[in-house]
Amino acid sequence: MKVLPLDTHLPGVSTLSYGCMGLGGGWNDNPVSQELVQQTHDIVDVVIGSGINFFDHADIYTMGKAEEVFGRVLAERPELRGSIYLQSKCGIRFEDGQGPNRYDFSAQWIEDSVNGILRRLQTDYLDILLLHRPDPLMEADEVAGAFEKLKSSGKVRHFGVSNMQGQQMQFLQRALDMPLVANQLEMSLQHHGWLDESICVNNDDGKAWNFAPGTLEYCQMNNVQIQSWSSLCRGIYSGRDVSNESGATQQTAQLVSRLAAEYGVSPEAILLAFLRRHPASIQPVIGTTNLDRIKACQQATDITLSREHWYSLYVTARGQNVP
């Protein structure tokens, strides 16, 4: 079994991560109900029972309520904190009286955001803080100062990024005296630009791709954990109605189902095994709130796709052969 790069910093971290964006109700101002708290208790139990000990948050998820409802669970079960790893993100600001939707990597916003995250999660520290999306106005030295302050205070133990390319990471890393430990990117069988770009080098087809040149290689060379969001393709290959989708999508759903039967696992496990087969040791983030689907995902850690099956999935999802 592959050891994740993140295991260097978080010993025993699980192969899969649970994404908490679906917790806390809708993206509105409605208060967190006891029913939502109970739902989170049930999800946490199934997640941990499935061998997952890493929980991924962001300050904006359901307008902060995802962290709030998770924090209420931790307050009711404080013994959980020592057995799990918590990650959250900051840097996205919604439209308000001061400006439009925007990104903010200013030291003050990062520090204030972390204080809010810790308050909502009802914990003293984060295992990892990610910068959510690149801020064109980022001052690397200013970010470095905020990171150092948060680390020295014990509020954040490790730092990373999300949706950044390798060159952006390298630029930020030059200002830091601590390693960036993770980069979370949209990667899946459906969202396969990360693979298309790699095989279209020196090919005219490559002109159409702009995923993140060299990012996977940068992360592999620097022991940065790649985390994939939207890993399950929003159910499009694992049970959702695809009768109105493209021929390639329908064929891919059929292939996933066929391979699931051959390997004796769930369709969800095949989708995650596709990501895990890549040499970058990707840590898939799963975000479903369906308890049965969470359990079904765990099976991905029990199989390794053959090279031929991996390529069959990729080529079918592309809808065309490799160049």
Side-chain angles (χ1 to χ4, degrees), residues 54-297:
F54 190 94
F55 292 85
D56 173 66
H57 286 271
D59 56 359
I60 64 168
Y61 288 168
T62 55
M63 313 298 286
K65 293 185 296 181
E67 291 177 335
E68 180 186 346
V69 73
F70 200 94
R72 287 176 62 174
V73 168
L74 286 182
E76 294 175 14
R77 299 161 64 182
E79 73 280 0
L80 283 177
R81 185 63 186 96
S83 61
I84 63 174
Y85 292 116
L86 288 180
Q87 171 178 281
S88 194
K89 314 177 197 71
C90 72
I92 295 179
R93 299 184 66 172
F94 294 130
E95 181 178 1
D96 54 24
Q98 300 178 34
N101 290 349
R102 58 204 185 277
Y103 308 130
D104 192 339
F105 286 0
S106 64
Q108 190 64 58
W109 183 258
I110 292 173
E111 292 168 26
D112 289 348
S113 296
V114 169
N115 289 332
I117 290 168
L118 296 179
R119 182 179 65 253
R120 288 188 294 273
L121 286 174
Q122 300 197 48
T123 185
D124 296 328
Y125 69 97
L126 287 176
D127 294 288
I128 303 177
L129 174 72
L130 303 184
L131 299 177
H132 208 156
R133 284 192 177 272
D135 175 13
L137 300 181
M138 176 183 74
E139 298 282 355
D141 290 337
E142 183 178 4
V143 172
F147 281 7
E148 179 56 41
K149 186 175 180 180
L150 291 168
K151 187 176 180 67
S152 62
S153 68
K155 293 180 179 179
V156 180
R157 296 186 174 178
H158 303 283
F159 299 86
V161 297
S162 181
N163 303 298
M164 278 197 189
Q165 60 164 260
Q167 290 177 321
Q168 292 171 317
M169 296 180 68
Q170 187 175 18
F171 173 69
L172 176 57
Q173 184 64 72
R174 289 183 60 188
L176 302 174
D177 59 2
M178 63 194 80
L180 294 171
V181 304
N183 186 9
Q184 189 173 120
L185 302 161
E186 184 176 8
M187 305 165 72
S188 67
L189 179 58
Q190 180 186 32
H191 191 88
H192 45 71
W194 56 289
L195 295 171
D196 293 329
E197 189 171 67
S198 70
I199 66 167
C200 289
V201 173
N202 198 36
N203 185 284
D204 286 342
D205 289 347
K207 296 176 182 178
W209 302 110
N210 184 30
F211 172 75
T215 299
L216 270 63
E217 291 79 6
Y218 176 86
C219 290
Q220 288 176 267
M221 288 189 296
N222 291 277
N223 203 42
V224 176
Q225 180 65 61
I226 297 174
Q227 301 171 344
S228 60
W229 61 269
S230 197
S231 308
L232 294 175
C233 312
R234 299 175 179 85
I236 198 166
Y237 301 135
S238 55
R240 215 172 84 190
D241 180 17
V242 294
S243 58
N244 293 322
E245 301 291 342
S246 68
T249 296
Q250 294 181 38
Q251 291 166 19
T252 304
Q254 293 168 6
L255 178 57
V256 168
S257 179
R258 189 162 64 249
L259 290 177
E262 182 171 339
Y263 281 86
V265 297
S266 65
E268 289 86 355
I270 295 296
L271 297 176
L272 300 178
F274 176 80
L275 291 165
R276 295 187 64 248
R277 183 65 172 79
H278 193 276
S281 295
I282 297 166
Q283 182 187 39
V285 180
I286 61 172
T288 178
T289 57
N290 183 297
L291 301 183
D292 290 333
R293 290 192 77 206
I294 295 171
K295 295 174 185 176
C297 291

Side-chain angles (χ1 to χ4, degrees), residues 10-28:
L10 306 180
V13 67
S14 55
T15 301
L16 304 180
S17 166
Y18 184 74
C20 298
M21 188 172 70
L23 304 182
W27 290 66
N28 51 49

